[in-house]
Amino acid sequence: MTAAGADNAGTLAFGGGGLDRAAHLRAQACHDLAGARVLPMWRGEPLVLPDGLAWVAPGAPILAGAGEAVFLGLDPRGARLLAAPVAARAAAEAGGGGQGLGFGGDGTPPHPDAPPGAAFRDLRAVALTLTPLEAEVAATARALLGWHATHGFCAACGTASHSADGGWVRRCPACGAQHFPRTDPVVIMLVLRGNSVLVGRNAAWPAGMYSLLAGFMEPGETVAAAVRREVFEETGIRIGAVRLLASQPWPFPASLMLGAVAEALDTAITLDPVELEDALWLTREEMAEVMAGRNPAVRPARKGAIAHVLVRNWLADRLD
Ligand SMILES: [Zn+2]
């Protein structure tokens, strides 16, 4: 069930696993749960075993008091796949659920009702150990459950809304409005000038980590306009041609990363200190050293993240 052993350093996490979302089943999917498989989630993190996601039956003890399940789709054998948030009450009784992940994800004891060897793990940390299908399932579960947890009231009239259609809509009983899960587009760009790439770092990141510039798109913008605005706001650099290369769901909590290559028209950096702590140009040779872990001052973006894959492909001359 895993990609273990493969060289997955160039793999885009959550790059698409061919999940059959079976939208026509959503209206009934959470009513009769017989035969379904459920992925327990704790604070957005999936229950995993060393060889993949840890599915349980609908009546499993770990699901006692769990929040409302969502329907993700069908597995290749036709079984319904659901996800459900593990109850906070059980967490408190078990002595877990304090700060941090809890339940095995950070060295704490596992959930007492978890299958042997299973722990709730940081999805970003385990994404590349999952099959593409499992990664898509877990990302979808995290995004959908996170949306329900933070959108309990109708945005039109303020009344408590309820989940429907297997969790793919929330309906308001007072005004009839329907609300759908949100996905927030983010542009992330490989800004190039000759033989060099522009990278920056946010003050909140781990020491030494630099990545490609990125920012949320604004309403009314094209991808190219968002790339040009973000790069100019953060570094004062003007951008010419922009080309979209790849996309990546990034449910932390609800982003869709839109990876682009952008041609810089100049190189002088005027830093916006609110957005960035530092920005610099690295030559192809310097970036190769960074990616190889041989630069003591600059560390690369996380494996599996689109920034890592875009840089890797640029270094290998494989942007097309
Ligand atoms: Zn309403």
Side-chain angles (χ1 to χ4, degrees), residues 38-42 63 66-70 82-86 120 141 145:
V38 184
L39 179 64
M41 302 281 291
W42 170 246
L63 297 178
E68 197 158 5
V70 296
L82 284 73
V86 167
F120 291 99
L145 292 177

Side-chain angles (χ1 to χ4, degrees), residues 153-161 171-179:
F153 296 87
C154 176
C157 77
T159 302
S161 58
R171 295 206 174 103
C172 174
C175 76
Q178 298 192 91
H179 303 282

Side-chain angles (χ1 to χ4, degrees), residues 142-318:
R142 180 186 168 93
L144 209 46
L145 292 177
W147 173 67
H148 284 292
T150 53
H151 290 76
F153 296 87
C154 176
C157 77
T159 302
S161 58
H162 60 84
S163 174
D165 285 358
W168 290 90
V169 63
R170 293 191 71 87
R171 295 206 174 103
C172 174
C175 76
Q178 298 192 91
H179 303 282
F180 297 93
R182 59 183 291 174
T183 296
D184 303 329
V186 174
V187 287
I188 181 162
M189 36 277 178
L190 191 68
V191 177
L192 302 177
R193 177 74 169 170
N195 192 43
S196 295
V197 61
L198 181 64
V199 294
R201 66 167 272 108
N202 185 294
W205 290 354
M209 184 183 142
Y210 282 73
S211 188
L212 303 180
L213 303 191
F216 284 103
M217 291 186 65
E218 295 183 348
E221 278 186 318
T222 63
V223 168
V227 167
R228 295 188 180 106
R229 175 184 53 75
E230 282 288 341
V231 175
F232 185 74
E233 283 178 0
E234 295 186 357
T235 63
I237 291 171
R238 298 279 183 187
I239 293 295
V242 174
R243 184 161 55 95
L244 189 62
L245 294 175
S247 63
Q248 179 184 42
W250 195 249
F252 305 97
S255 295
L256 173 65
M257 309 302 290
L258 301 171
V261 58
E263 175 201 10
L265 300 179
D266 47 66
T267 56
I269 294 171
T270 306
L271 205 63
D272 173 359
V274 175
E275 295 276 342
L276 291 180
E277 182 182 74
D278 191 24
L280 50 89
W281 290 95
L282 295 174
T283 66
R284 190 179 283 262
E285 294 73 22
E286 288 167 335
M287 193 46 139
E289 291 291 300
V290 168
M291 295 291 274
R294 290 196 293 262
N295 185 319
V298 181
R299 289 167 44 199
R302 182 194 287 271
K303 280 180 189 172
I306 193 168
H308 191 102
V309 175
L310 292 181
V311 167
R312 208 179 143 88
N313 288 348
W314 172 61
L315 291 174
D317 263 332
R318 283 199 315 254

